Amino acid sequence: FMKRVGKLRALMKRIEAQDPLRSKVTKAYVQSLIEKVNELSGRSYENLSQDLLPRLDKAGIHLTTPEELSFQEKKGLRAVFDSQVFPLLTPMVVDNGHPFPLISNLNLSLGFVVKRTGKTQKNFVRVKIPSVLPMWIQVPSTNGKRKQFINLCDLILMFQEDILPRVEVESTFSFRVIRSLENQSRSEPEEAEDLLELMAEEIRLRKYSEIVRIEYAGNLHPWARQFLQRELEVKPEDFAQIPLPLAFKKIDAPVQLKIPKLRYKTFESQTPAPFAKDESTLKAISKGDILVHHPFDSFSDSVEAFLKEAADDPQVLSIKMTLYRAGSRSPIIESLSHAAMNGKSVICLVELKARLDEERNIQWAKKLEAAEVHIIYGVLDLKTHAKICVVVRKEGDKLKTYAHVG
């Protein structure tokens, strides 16, 4: 929805006046896309409830509900709520004196329709679910064999009187908004001074971008639906009811349990044979082209080792490469920085338009520049997805080129 539906809806708005027929066809395509996604989502939740959850239950892991808890278990969860959850909650009422707050993309919230005792006027209250907390809380239990977890939204609702005192709660539901990655107000590439400036501005504006979907679970009161539709400027068809709690989109704590029989064996990639035989990756490559197949062939023992050796080799004069994505701790970035600090000519094309990694790539580009790596910020109207690295090495009185193409 963030990528495809957002982009198609932005296209519909741009061409609606100039090409109404194409806009109509695009709208029909978007609707069929949404219907297909809803169908697939329904099947995935059906598999979850009818297959995976019963199998987890048999293995001694139960995702429970408040209704299933004993008095002692509720008492234990009260202590957890008071000490670990309640201090992080902030109910935000929306009325004439308090405008609707900005809701971040994919952030889970609880919605309440409330009214004061003896009053008829309804108000909407939003409680943002803290992202620093696990989505599933283990239920304190004396039974060591059976492990129970309750989702964070249900835990909060168990003690909602603590955060909403002296009001009548008519309806509660969980919801999250999905925003488009396309910014309607962004500058056209030719108007921007440079690509770095353009992408930084696009990331900043993304939190205000159009909402393309609202997913909810629970009792969405008709008044709340109309209220959200008006305040968030969405259409009725943008609402999608999820058959299970939204917390099931992130089953974190149960997955982290160390139960070997429930886990796949850790996959271990192999060092490619040519690199296993020779201590030097450059020497191995000089004997002939080498084909590596990731993840079966080790990336660290081939590509990363190749770049690290090039960065340390005094005979290497130049390294040129393209960078599409890099992890939060990247040996590739470290090798490029090390090579530049060793006095080599290092040029790196960093693709700033790698979807959902734009901000990280900007940070990596700045770090590389600080290490005196020459940075090229992609091409305005193209996306560089190729993975290429070229190493130039002086061997005798000649220059020899080594390359990695992915």
Side-chain angles (χ1 to χ4, degrees):
F1 280 88
M2 291 189 294
K3 290 184 180 180
R4 307 295 176 231
V5 174
K7 190 169 186 176
L8 288 169
R9 284 177 56 157
L11 173 65
M12 285 162 50
K13 289 186 177 181
R14 287 199 300 269
I15 66 176
E16 191 170 11
Q18 300 90 346
D19 195 344
L21 178 59
R22 186 184 174 197
S23 178
K24 186 176 180 180
V25 171
T26 305
K27 183 177 181 180
Y29 176 72
V30 169
Q31 185 57 38
S32 66
L33 180 62
I34 292 173
E35 291 172 0
K36 187 63 177 179
V37 168
N38 290 340
E39 176 194 338
L40 293 173
S41 295
R43 286 165 55 185
S44 67
Y45 281 108
E46 185 177 321
N47 289 334
L48 178 64
S49 60
Q50 296 183 11
D51 182 26
L52 293 178
L53 293 183
R55 290 166 65 185
L56 276 175
D57 204 49
K58 288 182 180 179
I61 302 172
H62 183 58
L63 305 186
T64 190
T65 61
E67 294 76 20
E68 298 176 312
L69 297 172
S70 67
F71 174 78
Q72 285 298 325
E73 288 168 339
K74 290 180 180 179
K75 186 177 179 181
L77 284 174
R78 159 58 81 177
V80 173
F81 176 80
D82 289 344
S83 62
Q84 300 179 30
V85 179
F86 179 74
L88 298 174
L89 301 179
T90 305
M92 303 178 70
V93 64
V94 181
D95 55 24
N96 293 334
H98 303 85
F100 202 92
L102 174 69
I103 300 182
S104 303
N105 185 40
L106 300 179
N107 187 265
L108 186 59
S109 299
L110 282 173
F112 299 85
V113 178
V114 304
K115 62 180 182 180
R116 295 194 177 276
T117 305
K119 303 291 184 180
T120 58
Q121 180 180 345
K122 295 179 177 63
N123 285 315
F124 178 78
V125 177
R126 178 214 176 196
V127 176
K128 179 180 178 181
I129 303 299
S131 59
V132 295
L133 292 175
M135 194 54 63
W136 291 85
I137 307 294
Q138 187 163 357
V139 179
S141 175
T142 55
N143 186 348
K145 294 182 179 179
R146 182 177 171 85
K147 300 185 184 299
Q148 293 191 97
F149 293 85
I150 188 167
N151 78 68
L152 183 56
C153 291
D154 278 347
L155 178 62
I156 295 171
L157 292 177
M158 284 174 62
F159 307 108
Q160 65 184 35
E161 294 84 0
D162 290 30
I163 57 176
L164 297 172
R166 299 184 299 278
V167 297
E168 296 178 11
V169 178
E170 290 195 4
S171 170
T172 63
F173 59 96
S174 59
F175 71 101
R176 69 171 189 169
V177 302
I178 301 177
R179 294 183 180 272
S180 170
L181 293 181
E182 296 292 318
N183 291 315
Q184 301 293 323
S185 58
R186 72 174 183 174
S187 303
E188 291 300 319
E190 59 268 23
E191 297 174 359
E193 290 186 10
D194 59 61
L195 188 57
L196 179 63
E197 178 184 316
L198 175 69
M199 295 310 304
E201 178 69 3
E202 182 166 318
I203 292 169
R204 187 187 70 80
L205 294 175
R206 190 170 287 169
K207 60 183 177 181
Y208 305 108
S209 63
E210 179 187 13
I211 294 173
V212 294
R213 186 175 172 90
I214 299 178
E215 295 181 334
Y216 71 93
N219 178 24
L220 180 58
H221 194 286
W223 179 89
R225 178 188 284 269
Q226 293 179 0
F227 178 82
L228 290 173
Q229 185 178 329
R230 181 181 69 250
E231 293 293 328
L232 298 178
E233 299 180 350
V234 296
K235 300 176 182 178
E237 58 266 28
D238 294 331
F239 288 86
Q241 185 171 16
I242 305 301
L244 289 173
L246 288 170
F248 278 98
K249 290 185 176 290
K250 185 182 180 183
I251 307 179
D252 45 10
V255 172
Q256 294 168 6
L257 291 173
K258 299 185 183 300
I259 305 178
K261 67 178 181 179
L262 298 181
R263 292 185 172 274
Y264 288 109
K265 291 182 179 179
T266 302
F267 176 79
E268 295 184 4
S269 56
Q270 302 298 313
T271 301
F275 297 132
K277 295 176 181 177
D278 294 284
E279 294 183 358
S280 167
T281 58
L282 295 174
K283 182 179 178 181
I285 296 170
S286 68
K287 295 178 181 179
D289 295 344
I290 300 172
L291 177 66
V292 290
H293 187 188
H294 306 304
F296 309 103
D297 291 324
S298 170
F299 186 79
S300 61
D301 290 343
S302 54
V303 180
E304 288 179 1
F306 166 61
L307 198 56
K308 184 178 186 302
E309 182 179 345
D312 291 331
D313 189 339
Q315 298 303 113
V316 169
L317 305 180
S318 170
I319 300 175
K320 306 175 186 180
M321 76 173 295
T322 60
L323 187 68
Y324 187 72
R325 295 186 195 275
S328 57
R329 298 178 64 182
S330 172
I332 298 293
I333 301 294
E334 296 302 323
S335 292
L336 291 174
S337 301
H338 186 58
M341 288 186 285
N342 281 345
K344 306 182 191 306
S345 170
V346 183
I347 301 173
C348 184
L349 186 152
V350 179
E351 180 49 77
L352 298 182
K353 300 189 291 297
R355 279 301 190 193
L356 301 178
D357 270 335
E358 298 96 336
E359 191 167 7
R360 177 181 290 175
N361 281 8
I362 289 174
Q363 293 171 354
W364 280 136
K366 290 181 177 179
K367 179 177 180 178
L368 288 170
E369 277 193 320
E372 298 188 359
V373 174
H374 181 70
I375 298 297
I376 301 171
Y377 291 109
V379 183
L380 280 174
D381 54 350
L382 294 175
K383 181 178 286 190
T384 304
H385 201 275
K387 286 76 176 175
I388 299 173
C389 178
V390 176
V391 171
V392 180
R393 186 173 189 268
K394 186 176 182 181
E395 298 184 2
D397 58 352
K398 297 181 180 180
L399 297 180
K400 189 171 183 177
T401 301
Y402 297 80
H404 165 256
V405 180

